[in-house]
Amino acid sequence: MSDMGIYRRQRASVALSLSFLSLIFSITAFSSSYWCEGTRKVAKPFCTDQGKGTHCIRFNNSDVNNSNAVQYIWETGDDKFVDRKFHAGIWYSCEEIINGEGEKCRSFISLTPPADRGVLWLSIVAELLYIILLLTGATLMSIEVCYYNTIIDGLKLNAFAAIFTVLAGLFGMVAHMMYTTVFQMTVNLGPEDWRPQMWDYGWSYCLAWSSFTCCMAASVTTINRYTKTILEFKHKQKKLERSLKNKYKFPD
């Protein structure tokens, strides 16, 4: 194999690696529930054991079950509340259980305001198309790297891989932006028992945009490789034509 062919294979391997990395990132982010994380103030539950528990309301009387006993709540102001952590993704939202183990999860679609559920479903469809197009582009790149025999076949595979990867990047960008809009609307107009006081984007959100970045880098690398191969092919063709003219002395 010539040095030019080795260089083309190296560029193809770089684009393939970026495409598979983008695919792994996108599937991980799509299936996780850490797109957004934050806290919500909730009232402390009653302590089950007298004088124990920092995240519960304490009484001055040990006979909690006695309705005739006068009970005083020592907590005042902000001491009556505790910050409950939550994390949300495309599919569901989970909150920690105060003074307990585990989490309580709800469907994020049910939390979304009815007027914005259509946008959320469009975001989900766009995410699925993003993953499908990424997988198709990565498959074409794999075939090009491993199985093609001629430059023409490689160029055809390269062109289709570039088209699928660029389309995937567009769908991914639209899907991420639509979900961001839907989440912000849910924070403002969602159920009272869910709205967070403080929140920020989580690692799944960063992973989703990292996937988009890798996807666009793969598409740019693929398009660049296609363009360079075409230019190299035309340059070789002109050199061959020039050498034939000099050899047989054809008039211009």
Side-chain angles (χ1 to χ4, degrees):
M1 185 182 292
S2 63
D3 293 339
M4 200 70 71
I6 294 174
Y7 183 53
R8 281 198 299 268
R9 285 294 178 94
Q10 289 176 346
R11 286 182 290 177
S13 299
V14 170
L16 179 61
S17 301
L18 288 170
S19 185
F20 270 116
L21 191 63
S22 175
L23 183 62
I24 293 171
F25 284 173
S26 63
I27 293 175
T28 304
F30 185 66
S31 59
S32 64
S33 63
Y34 286 85
W35 285 62
C36 299
E37 300 176 82
T39 57
R40 184 172 69 87
K41 280 188 178 295
V42 295
K44 290 181 180 179
F46 295 129
C47 294
T48 56
D49 296 328
Q50 176 66 18
K52 295 183 179 180
T54 57
H55 298 304
C56 59
I57 295 177
R58 294 174 288 108
F59 295 99
N60 72 319
N61 193 305
S62 59
D63 191 4
V64 177
N65 296 322
N66 186 359
S67 59
N68 295 323
V70 179
Q71 299 170 351
Y72 298 98
I73 298 175
W74 299 108
E75 284 80 359
T76 58
D78 288 339
D79 291 335
K80 293 181 181 179
F81 300 94
V82 63
D83 290 330
R84 173 183 284 175
K85 295 180 181 178
F86 85 99
H87 55 89
I90 293 177
W91 297 106
Y92 48 89
S93 173
C94 297
E95 294 179 320
E96 68 174 346
I97 298 175
I98 304 299
N99 286 338
E101 296 181 357
E103 294 178 326
K104 176 185 176 182
C105 296
R106 290 183 284 179
S107 170
F108 184 73
I109 298 173
S110 65
L111 299 173
T112 306
D116 297 311
R117 284 177 188 169
V119 181
L120 180 59
W121 279 112
L122 286 176
S123 173
I124 292 173
V125 171
E127 287 284 354
L128 290 172
L129 289 174
Y130 173 53
I131 293 173
I132 292 171
L133 290 171
L134 265 179
L135 180 61
T136 305
T139 303
L140 292 173
M141 291 179 193
S142 301
I143 296 173
E144 181 192 358
V145 170
C146 301
Y147 298 109
Y148 88 92
N149 295 319
T150 63
I151 294 179
I152 301 301
D153 292 338
L155 281 174
K156 290 179 181 178
L157 290 170
N158 191 260
F160 281 109
I163 291 171
F164 281 114
T165 310
V166 170
L167 287 175
L170 292 176
F171 276 109
M173 179 181 65
V174 171
H176 301 344
M177 293 176 66
M178 284 194 295
Y179 177 80
T180 303
T181 302
V182 170
F183 185 83
Q184 291 174 350
M185 294 299 295
T186 306
V187 169
N188 295 326
L189 303 175
E192 290 285 349
D193 64 342
W194 178 85
R195 295 182 196 175
Q197 273 72 39
M198 295 179 61
W199 64 275
D200 202 352
Y201 298 111
W203 62 265
S204 297
Y205 188 83
C206 298
L207 203 64
W209 281 108
S210 298
S211 170
F212 169 76
T213 303
C214 291
C215 174
M216 296 311 297
S219 64
V220 170
T221 304
T222 306
I223 294 172
N224 179 262
R225 184 161 47 90
Y226 176 82
T227 306
K228 283 188 175 181
T229 305
I230 290 290
L231 293 175
E232 291 166 4
F233 188 74
K234 288 183 177 180
H235 179 67
K236 286 183 178 181
Q237 188 178 20
K238 287 182 179 180
K239 284 180 65 177
L240 180 61
E241 290 175 355
R242 194 178 301 114
S243 63
L244 288 174
K245 284 182 181 180
N246 293 333
K247 183 176 181 180
Y248 296 102
K249 296 181 179 179
F250 288 155
D252 293 336

